[in-house]
Amino acid sequence: MNWTGYLDANQARFTKELLDFLRIPSVSAKPENAGDVMRAARWVRDRLETAGVTGAEILPTAGHPVVLAEWMGAGPEKPTILIYGHFDVQPAEPFDLWQSPPFEPEVRDNRVWARGASDDKGGMLIPILAVEAMLKTDGRLPVNVKFFFEGQEEIGSPDLPPFVAEHADRLKADMIFSADGSQWAPGQPQIVEALKGLVSLEVHVQGAAADLHSGQHGGGVANPGMALAQILASMKSPEGQITVEGFYDDVLPLDAETRAAIARVPYDEADYLAETGAPAVLPEPGYTVRESLWARPTLEVNGMTCGWQGAGTKTVLPAQASAKITCRLVAGQSPEAVFETIRAHVAAHCPPGVTAEVTRNPGRAEPFQVPVGHNATAIAAQVLEEVYGRAPYRTRVGGSIPVMTTLLGELGVHAVMFGFGHGDENIHAPNEFFRLDAFRTGQLAYGQLMEALARG
Amino acid sequence: MNWTGYLDANQARFTKELLDFLRIPSVSAKPENAGDVMRAARWVRDRLETAGVTGAEILPTAGHPVVLAEWMGAGPEKPTILIYGHFDVQPAEPFDLWQSPPFEPEVRDNRVWARGASDDKGGMLIPILAVEAMLKTDGRLPVNVKFFFEGQEEIGSPDLPPFVAEHADRLKADMIFSADGSQWAPGQPQIVEALKGLVSLEVHVQGAAADLHSGQHGGGVANPGMALAQILASMKSPEGQITVEGFYDDVLPLDAETRAAIARVPYDEADYLAETGAPAVLPEPGYTVRESLWARPTLEVNGMTCGWQGAGTKTVLPAQASAKITCRLVAGQSPEAVFETIRAHVAAHCPPGVTAEVTRNPGRAEPFQVPVGHNATAIAAQVLEEVYGRAPYRTRVGGSIPVMTTLLGELGVHAVMFGFGHGDENIHAPNEFFRLDAFRTGQLAYGQLMEALARG
């Protein structure tokens, strides 16, 4: 029997095993589930052993543990790949919105319904099963494979940067594939070429020493709420252009080929407006909505605080006002440099009568963009085209995935997202599910990927 | 004995009576003190009778009562004046900040220390005592006098407009004097020529139907926090000019004589900055700080609400943002017309991608300005100059006093503030006090006022 035949013959068992895995409520955010996260780590370690990957280990961090394993039998002339995934899950509350209980998985409509089915237990089990199929039939893998599974992705992987730094030698690989990700749609694969970086900050405006009576002092001293509004308005045109001096300076321009690739991905404005409920789109002038969402930096007000916010009227002239802002960054930009442009802009545009200060808030990510011609990406795209019978869309993500930049920073390797979830699978929400078709397709794709990587 | 001799002879008793009056905790804001407010009304009625004003009456309203009385013995050829004051007081909390208990009045340093001593029990007792002195010595008053004392000023006189409308005939007078007010400083009288009006509103901006992920949708749809900032910034220049189209259209210009009168009132910028703690002043361009505070309309942000206001970072693209605004209005402007200019301005300046709505909040006052050459004001000024030996400053107030506009609206008469408190007497705060010198000066001034009015 070849490895694809093994996959066919064992799907029923694999599905049953996925359900077992999903029964463990490995919610990393809840201290009371810490033991369950550890149980999930042991399940993963044992499952790797079952697959034929001997010597899998649970390693501690300051928080939830990591599982590492490797099969290096392909020899030094073959590439070594690192496969990433996570066995922790989001909280499942509110439970009463679930059609079946989140930790009592059910199969309905050829889908598995449970918390973590799509994000990421189904996803991270896929490469283990592909490896098992090859080891149980051929007795070997076409390439050297390392597994790196963590238990704290859903809380932002706080202990991962020091762990990866400390274990950089052991994690060293020629290519990295993340099994935490999704395809564009059933039947339509994608390659994610870039993620945005992040810098988070706060603008704080101070006027008088304390709140004043707006009748007694209005017209005498400046109003920090108005001053904050003027500062914010100086940062962005009504048409959506960021007007912070120097903000776009380091941005790598979008070349015609990339713009064409983005334009090939279907976009329906009516659908987008229906999805967001916004009265109109507002892309950066000169760019399409998709280009603006995927490939241009943003500056967004996340919150504003000033004065009286209760019911009715309070005739107060507030002493302070502040706004929280996050910027999403693209290739070429750095969080520190962008923070500095904003700090300088606010200093230059602070209106008379108040003082303004800009401070950083927690949250930082470097932008992530796969270099043009990146070998692992090219091979992944080719495999997806073979498996799906369609060329993958070249897409980008407006959000940030810190682990991608951690791996790049510590190991110097751009990870390729090679996952088989879909955007509609209710991750982080009630009634999460995973498509069994995609579960099977993913196993085939990981097998073919290893074969393609061996050919080089 | 003439009436001034009577005043001299009875000051000790008057002070003792003021202390009795102050022992009644007539806090209109607290339902548990409603009986005390009524007790104060009875004290006032009885005190009027003692003064020789017979037939004083307590009249009900939907809330706290009113005391009305009149002495009409001067005959129809003499003018009739209405004297206003209030016998309710502010809450006294926090009690532990008082040097002596708020409702156990003490005399220290020739001052009476108690809640309500300055605002307004000391003030409203003054004209009663002047009337008593004249009635007990001359047996008559030089003019006809009506008294109108209320018990709900400190809660905004909610039941006063219908009461005044209903009793307009009974309250009808040629001139109105408010015994609720203050002089500029010990030894320096003032005539308050204008109060500002008020309109209160809220600007509400709506973007997407619900809060969105700032990474997934930033750059695709508009940010309501930024849109609100842009709308607010379009309303006022950084230099302090209101840029709402038409906002200043109805404002009566300040003539040179009024500007000169304002300039004669001492102003020390260092003192003003020390008082407010603001880093700089910000008057309307083209006007002094005093002119801006006293005689120019204002537009102040009282509060702003948008998105995440907790600690740290939340990468949310908020669905909504709103700002509370109050405008102080000057003669010529109306709350309704100013609201309409702002509504139209916001509609014209709403940036793309959001919708904006402007609604009114509770709180409304017409601007109040004594007409040039107003007879009662001229006579009051002359009396103050005689009593103090110094011409009164011509001042204005940036705040609004609804009862002044209610009396003007219902009775068609501009009231003159003729009160003897001072700005430093801790009204609405712990350790309120009233100067016994001013208590005595006020009695003399009210007597001389009645004599001067009789001369015409």
Side-chain angles (χ1 to χ4, degrees):
Chain A
M1 188 188 285
N2 66 7
W3 64 269
T4 58
Y6 183 92
L7 290 180
D8 287 334
N10 287 280
Q11 281 309 302
R13 173 169 63 91
F14 292 167
T15 301
K16 193 190 146 294
E17 288 172 335
L18 174 57
L19 302 189
D20 289 343
F21 192 17
L22 290 168
R23 275 187 199 97
I24 306 171
S26 49
V27 178
S28 50
K30 299 172 77 172
E32 61 268 37
N33 289 108
D36 296 310
V37 178
M38 178 54 87
R39 264 213 294 152
R42 285 196 291 262
W43 192 94
V44 171
R45 180 197 57 194
D46 296 348
R47 190 63 191 77
L48 284 161
E49 297 275 352
T50 304
V53 183
T54 53
E57 268 191 283
I58 297 173
L59 280 89
T61 73
H64 298 298
V66 163
V67 176
L68 293 188
E70 60 184 45
W71 186 94
M72 300 296 284
E77 72 281 4
K78 291 292 180 188
T80 299
I81 68 170
L82 177 71
I83 296 173
Y84 165 85
H86 65 91
F87 50 84
D88 64 317
V89 301
Q90 279 275 318
E93 287 81 358
F95 281 45
D96 57 347
L97 294 185
W98 287 77
Q99 212 186 323
S100 54
F103 299 109
E104 298 173 26
E106 274 189 16
V107 176
R108 298 191 302 272
D109 305 328
N110 209 31
R111 298 165 171 195
V112 175
W113 300 79
R115 168 55 81 233
S118 178
D119 180 20
D120 176 40
K121 285 177 173 172
M124 66 157 281
L125 188 52
I126 284 174
I128 298 175
L129 303 177
V131 162
E132 172 174 310
M134 286 180 158
L135 289 176
K136 299 291 183 192
T137 53
D138 304 340
R140 64 190 310 283
L141 304 177
V143 292
N144 301 300
V145 177
K146 294 179 176 181
F147 290 99
F148 171 37
F149 295 124
E150 64 152 320
Q152 50 183 252
E153 197 273 344
E154 299 295 1
I155 53 171
S157 307
D159 307 307
L160 223 56
F163 181 91
V164 174
E166 193 187 333
H167 298 85
D169 273 354
R170 190 159 170 186
L171 294 167
K172 199 167 162 350
D174 300 303
M175 299 170 186
I176 304 174
F177 295 90
S178 169
D180 185 22
S182 59
Q183 295 303 325
W184 183 257
Q188 176 59 56
Q190 70 178 339
I191 288 287
V192 177
E193 293 191 335
L195 307 165
K196 286 184 181 170
L198 177 79
V199 63
S200 178
L201 55 96
E202 194 149 342
V203 180
H204 185 88
V205 176
Q206 178 81 41
D211 288 359
L212 300 172
H213 187 283
S214 71
Q216 282 185 310
H217 296 286
V221 298
N223 185 307
M226 180 56 80
L228 176 66
Q230 290 164 341
I231 290 170
L232 295 177
S234 77
M235 293 181 169
K236 207 171 185 178
S237 77
E239 295 72 32
Q241 182 99 20
I242 297 167
T243 48
V244 173
E245 288 89 352
F247 184 87
Y248 294 114
D249 279 2
D250 297 333
V251 173
L252 297 182
L254 278 185
D255 57 60
E257 201 268 329
T258 302
R259 299 184 82 161
I262 293 174
R264 276 196 292 276
V265 182
Y267 167 74
D268 184 301
E269 192 140 299
D271 283 354
Y272 185 62
L273 292 177
E275 177 191 347
T276 58
V281 297
L282 192 74
E284 183 186 335
Y287 296 90
T288 67
V289 170
R290 268 277 156 65
E291 287 170 349
S292 189
L293 287 168
W294 285 359
R296 295 291 299 172
T298 63
L299 182 154
E300 296 297 332
V301 173
N302 306 122
M304 295 198 293
T305 301
C306 175
W308 176 244
Q309 302 187 42
T313 299
K314 186 177 180 188
T315 53
V316 63
L317 200 170
Q320 305 180 337
S322 62
K324 289 177 188 282
I325 292 173
T326 47
C327 296
R328 300 284 175 165
L329 312 178
V330 299
Q333 294 184 296
S334 88
E336 285 67 34
V338 167
F339 175 79
E340 195 47 44
T341 65
I342 292 173
R343 202 199 51 70
H345 178 94
V346 170
H349 289 79
C350 181
V354 297
T355 56
E357 192 190 11
V358 187
T359 56
R360 283 185 74 168
N361 270 337
R364 178 196 182 282
E366 295 278 352
F368 178 93
Q369 185 171 330
V370 178
V372 175
H374 183 252
N375 196 32
T377 302
I379 293 171
Q382 189 188 326
V383 168
L384 288 173
E385 182 162 0
E386 285 167 15
V387 170
Y388 281 85
R390 290 177 67 99
Y393 291 150
R394 289 168 54 186
T395 67
R396 294 171 177 227
V397 173
S400 312
I401 305 183
V403 69
M404 303 286 277
T405 48
T406 298
L407 294 170
L408 175 61
E410 298 297 340
L411 308 180
V413 180
H414 279 91
V416 178
M417 295 177 77
F418 202 73
F420 295 88
H422 292 90
D424 65 353
E425 289 174 348
N426 300 327
I427 68 169
H428 297 206
N431 299 310
E432 181 176 349
F433 68 90
F434 192 49
R435 289 175 166 85
L436 284 173
D437 286 349
F439 187 50
R440 176 71 183 81
T441 303
Q443 296 158 29
L444 186 69
Y446 263 95
Q448 292 191 204
L449 179 71
M450 287 186 278
E451 289 184 336
L453 292 168
R455 288 192 299 270
Chain B
M1 188 187 285
N2 65 7
W3 65 269
T4 57
Y6 184 91
L7 290 179
D8 286 335
N10 288 280
Q11 282 307 304
R13 174 169 61 90
F14 292 168
T15 299
K16 193 190 148 294
E17 287 172 336
L18 174 57
L19 302 189
D20 289 343
F21 192 15
L22 290 168
R23 275 187 198 98
I24 306 170
S26 50
V27 179
S28 50
K30 297 172 79 174
E32 62 267 38
N33 290 107
D36 296 311
V37 178
M38 177 55 86
R39 264 213 293 152
R42 284 197 290 262
W43 191 95
V44 171
R45 181 197 56 194
D46 295 348
R47 190 65 191 75
L48 284 161
E49 296 275 352
T50 305
V53 182
T54 54
E57 269 191 282
I58 297 173
L59 280 89
T61 72
H64 299 298
V66 163
V67 176
L68 293 188
E70 60 183 44
W71 186 92
M72 299 296 285
E77 70 282 4
K78 292 292 182 190
T80 298
I81 67 169
L82 178 70
I83 296 173
Y84 165 85
H86 64 91
F87 51 82
D88 64 317
V89 301
Q90 279 276 319
E93 288 80 358
F95 282 44
D96 57 347
L97 295 185
W98 287 76
Q99 212 186 323
S100 54
F103 299 109
E104 298 173 27
E106 274 188 15
V107 176
R108 298 193 301 272
D109 304 329
N110 209 31
R111 298 166 171 195
V112 175
W113 300 79
R115 167 57 79 234
S118 177
D119 180 18
D120 175 38
K121 285 177 172 171
M124 66 158 282
L125 188 52
I126 284 173
I128 298 175
L129 303 177
V131 162
E132 173 175 309
M134 287 181 158
L135 289 177
K136 300 290 182 190
T137 53
D138 305 339
R140 63 188 312 283
L141 303 177
V143 292
N144 302 299
V145 177
K146 295 179 175 180
F147 291 99
F148 171 36
F149 296 125
E150 63 151 321
Q152 49 183 254
E153 198 273 344
E154 299 295 0
I155 54 172
S157 307
D159 307 307
L160 223 56
F163 181 90
V164 174
E166 194 188 330
H167 298 85
D169 273 354
R170 192 162 170 183
L171 295 169
K172 200 168 160 354
D174 300 304
M175 299 169 186
I176 304 174
F177 294 90
S178 170
D180 186 22
S182 59
Q183 295 303 327
W184 183 257
Q188 176 59 58
Q190 70 178 340
I191 288 287
V192 176
E193 294 190 335
L195 306 165
K196 286 184 181 172
L198 177 79
V199 63
S200 178
L201 54 96
E202 193 150 343
V203 180
H204 186 89
V205 176
Q206 178 80 41
D211 288 359
L212 299 173
H213 187 283
S214 71
Q216 281 185 311
H217 295 286
V221 298
N223 184 307
M226 180 56 79
L228 176 65
Q230 291 164 339
I231 290 169
L232 295 177
S234 78
M235 293 181 169
K236 206 170 187 179
S237 77
E239 294 72 32
Q241 182 97 22
I242 296 166
T243 48
V244 173
E245 287 90 351
F247 184 85
Y248 293 112
D249 280 1
D250 297 333
V251 173
L252 297 182
L254 278 186
D255 56 61
E257 201 270 327
T258 302
R259 299 184 81 162
I262 292 174
R264 276 195 293 275
V265 182
Y267 166 75
D268 184 302
E269 191 141 300
D271 284 353
Y272 185 62
L273 291 177
E275 177 192 347
T276 58
V281 297
L282 193 74
E284 183 186 334
Y287 296 90
T288 67
V289 170
R290 268 277 154 68
E291 288 170 347
S292 189
L293 287 168
W294 285 359
R296 294 291 299 173
T298 63
L299 183 154
E300 296 296 333
V301 173
N302 306 122
M304 296 198 292
T305 302
C306 175
W308 176 242
Q309 301 186 44
T313 300
K314 186 177 179 187
T315 52
V316 62
L317 200 170
Q320 305 179 339
S322 62
K324 289 177 189 282
I325 291 173
T326 48
C327 296
R328 302 283 176 168
L329 313 178
V330 299
Q333 294 185 296
S334 87
E336 285 66 36
V338 167
F339 176 78
E340 195 46 44
T341 65
I342 293 173
R343 202 200 51 70
H345 178 93
V346 170
H349 290 78
C350 180
V354 298
T355 57
E357 192 189 10
V358 187
T359 56
R360 282 185 73 169
N361 271 337
R364 177 196 183 282
E366 295 279 352
F368 177 92
Q369 185 172 330
V370 178
V372 175
H374 183 251
N375 196 31
T377 302
I379 294 172
Q382 189 188 325
V383 167
L384 288 173
E385 182 162 0
E386 284 165 19
V387 170
Y388 282 84
R390 291 177 65 98
Y393 290 150
R394 289 168 53 185
T395 67
R396 295 173 176 226
V397 173
S400 312
I401 306 184
V403 69
M404 303 286 276
T405 48
T406 297
L407 293 171
L408 176 60
E410 297 297 339
L411 308 180
V413 180
H414 279 91
V416 177
M417 296 178 76
F418 202 74
F420 296 87
H422 292 90
D424 64 352
E425 290 174 346
N426 300 326
I427 69 168
H428 298 205
N431 300 309
E432 181 175 351
F433 69 90
F434 192 48
R435 290 173 164 86
L436 284 173
D437 285 349
F439 187 49
R440 176 70 183 83
T441 304
Q443 297 159 30
L444 185 69
Y446 262 96
Q448 292 192 203
L449 179 70
M450 287 185 277
E451 289 183 336
L453 292 169
R455 289 192 298 271

